[in-house]
Amino acid sequence: MKHSNVVRHILTVDERDSLVSILESIKPKIFQDRGVPLTNLIDSSIPVSFAGIIKEDKASFLGNDSAYLESLLSDLESIPVLLLRAGFYPSNLTIQKVYAFFASTVLDPFFIRFEYDVRIIGGIIVVWKGRYLDLTLNSYFEAISQEEIEPLLKKIS
Amino acid sequence: MNDDVFQYYLQKTKEVGFVAQSVHSLIYISGLPHARPGELVVFKNGGNGQVLSLSKDYAEVLLLSNTQVSVGSEVARTNETLQVGIGDGLLGRLVNPLGNALDNKGTLKNVSPFYIDRDPPSLLERRPLEKSLETGVSIVDMVVPLAKGQRELIIGDRKTGKTEFLLQTMEYQARQGTICIYALIGQRMNDIQKTHDFIIQKKITDQCLIIASSSSQSAGLIYLTPFTAMTAAEYFRDQGHDVLLILDDMTTHARVYREISLLAKRFPGRSSFPGDIFFLHAKIVERAGNFKNGSITCLPVAESVLGDISGYIQTNLMSMTDGHIYFDIDLYDKGARPAVSPFLSVTRVGHQVQTPIAKQASRELSSFLVNYERLKQFTHFGAEVGESTQSMLRQGEKISRFLSQRDDISLPVTGSVYFFAGILSGIWNEDSLEVFTGKMEKYYKKYIDNQTYRSQIEQLLINTNNFKDLLTSLKSDSSLIQSAFT
């Protein structure tokens, strides 16, 4: 990973996708170094939250502007995605908390993709590198047998 | 329903993948860390596919359904290799290669799942060919006879009567108690329906089944057709039946496999076919043969172009079968029905199961046809010929007429041998071709309809030592054969 500084600042797939689309749009402008210098394009096109980091990253990169962009794009595309499916729309704070939680167990860098699923009562579904983990209340309820439900219902009534 | 199936497998295998790329019938899937080649996968939208190969990032999946698969859609593993429902419930039915009914007669009953991609049986499980397989077509039964368990290629241009011959053989064999499986590989839906109508119309549904994929279906489904058909044949063989399996046609199968291989970026070989096309077809055809419980007679079909039988797939199939029956477009244009070329057709094992008298008759007929052809070419130049040559030419015309047979008349080989002996003995030498044809039709009718008459001829052939004796006896007393015309 050559650009871990940039990658570290991105948490979600949506952030990654918007940065990738900006980088893709400025790529033709610096074609073969005969266009506008990358530093100028960073200031004019990239959001301020990323501009400083990318400038720093570029300064430490050995190679021309287009090689830098190719390398950064390649790194961004290669990062695996952690898919989280839940029955609610998460806030930024929730995303940060969830990211921090998974980052403590997953060593490799990753991006989070949050998906809203109306059928999920509670809990979450996690998909990581093809592995599917159902931690929802739905699966918990389905696992409860009829024999276990009846005494519970009696207790409530 | 589709979602239920998907969720079931998702919960069972705990693995999910996402479609990364879709190239016609090939789907590249990321995820599915424990997928293995040959495994069946299900798509969230209801489709299914089979894992072809695995790379570091993707599983390459062959789509088996006609569903649209979009990039990003979810896929679940099944942890199962592709299995198809096979059983007695298939008889009389028209099904696709996944065992789903196509004939509006409801779902199949009395079937169990079977793996369709199996290795051919070993040498120790095989037995020598013992019984003959009659087609009811005189030229084939006499010149290129077939044996039960033989693999015989049916080759010829389009519209040369291959299908008519195959349907006639299927009907004849079904009436003899053989289980007949007709596999239509990537054919038109109209042709599939016609074949199904044929078995219904001929009332042979108890003995026949059709496994079909239409040209509009996914390449994966067309690719699987011969595998499913062969698995069904193996099932009925294991039940103790003799099975006739028709694979119509293998050139289409090869074309579909080429399409899949090129899309999968496999290295193209001769005529852009992949290098393992021979292996693939041999692996299917090798599953036929004669076994302890029963036999599988396999008739793969190959289409030639402009009479060229030296094409890549055609010669491949020739080399993995025990002979070929060639349908000649020139003979067809001259009016020969069936247009089987006696000179370019080959049977490598069929003669060994013939009765001695049928074998001698077959040798006589082949030799006569060669001499007759030479003579015809000679007289073509306007050469004057003697009385004996003229007599031979007249006899040749009668034999040609005898070998031209309507596709609704199937004659047992004993009937053909006896009638051929009648022509060769010269008892109808003085008859004109029209009179002869009339007699021939009367003979066919009596032989097929009259059980006593048929038994008399069969007994006579059993009691006769050799073909020459039969000719001699016919010359001295032709009352039995002549009784058909009274």
Side-chain angles (χ1 to χ4, degrees), chain B residues 133-134 148 169-178 180 244:
Chain B
L133 182 129
E134 291 184 27
K148 283 185 174 165
T169 305
M170 183 165 81
E171 185 194 351
Y172 187 81
Q173 275 302 312
R175 296 201 194 288
Q176 306 286 316
T178 305
C180 302
L244 171 69

Side-chain angles (χ1 to χ4, degrees), chain B residues 18-215:
Chain B
F18 297 91
V19 174
Q21 198 184 351
S22 167
V23 191
H24 294 272
S25 52
L26 284 182
I27 313 291
Y28 293 88
I29 295 167
S30 61
L32 305 179
H34 295 103
R36 56 178 200 273
E39 184 176 344
L40 195 68
V41 295
V42 289
F43 293 86
K44 198 174 184 181
N45 65 356
N48 50 20
Q50 191 179 19
V51 178
L52 276 187
S53 66
L54 300 166
S55 64
K56 188 171 159 280
D57 299 320
Y58 302 112
E60 186 183 64
V61 168
L62 179 64
L63 193 63
L64 299 176
S65 51
N66 260 359
T67 43
Q68 293 289 322
V69 175
S70 49
V71 171
S73 56
E74 289 174 56
V75 190
R77 281 182 63 207
T78 62
N79 202 22
E80 290 166 8
T81 313
L82 181 62
Q83 292 184 79
V84 174
I86 304 279
D88 291 339
L90 281 176
L91 287 172
R93 302 298 300 269
L94 167 63
V95 296
N96 77 1
L98 296 177
N100 302 320
L102 298 172
D103 53 7
N104 302 323
K105 287 183 192 165
T107 51
L108 293 168
K109 288 170 188 153
N110 207 3
V111 290
S112 322
F114 276 80
Y115 292 110
I116 61 166
D117 191 3
R118 295 198 264 184
D119 287 335
S122 69
L123 198 61
L124 292 173
E125 294 169 61
R126 295 173 185 272
R127 296 183 69 180
L129 305 185
E130 290 153 349
K131 292 178 276 181
S132 96
L133 182 129
E134 291 184 27
T135 63
V137 178
S138 299
I139 189 166
V140 175
D141 289 341
M142 291 193 68
V143 181
V144 272
L146 305 179
K148 283 185 174 165
Q150 183 170 346
R151 293 149 301 183
E152 182 84 357
L153 178 67
I154 309 296
I155 185 167
D157 283 15
R158 287 175 69 86
K159 302 282 172 198
T160 48
K162 299 189 295 294
T163 305
E164 285 79 4
F165 163 73
L166 291 166
L167 290 176
Q168 188 177 359
T169 305
M170 183 165 81
E171 185 194 351
Y172 187 81
Q173 275 302 312
R175 296 201 194 288
Q176 306 286 316
T178 305
I179 298 290
C180 302
I181 302 170
Y182 202 114
L184 291 121
I185 305 164
Q187 303 275 359
R188 290 181 306 170
M189 210 57 214
N190 191 26
D191 292 335
I192 293 170
Q193 196 54 51
K194 271 185 194 167
T195 311
H196 188 230
D197 291 345
F198 177 85
I199 65 163
I200 293 169
Q201 189 197 334
K202 297 289 179 184
K203 298 187 174 67
I204 49 172
T205 47
D206 289 350
Q207 296 293 124
C208 298
L209 67 108
I210 298 169
I211 294 168
S213 55
S214 88
S215 49

Side-chain angles (χ1 to χ4, degrees), chain A residues 83 85 115 117 119 125 127-134 139 142, chain B residues 3 7 10-11 14-18 30-34 44 74:
Chain A
L83 174 66
R85 201 170 280 158
E115 279 183 8
D117 189 338
R119 291 170 301 183
I125 289 172
V127 176
W128 172 243
K129 290 185 175 175
R131 286 177 187 84
Y132 180 88
L133 189 59
D134 189 345
S139 64
E142 279 164 19
Chain B
D3 198 40
Q7 288 298 335
L10 195 57
Q11 296 297 339
K14 308 273 185 212
E15 284 186 25
V16 68
F18 297 91
S30 61
L32 305 179
H34 295 103
K44 198 174 184 181
E74 289 174 56

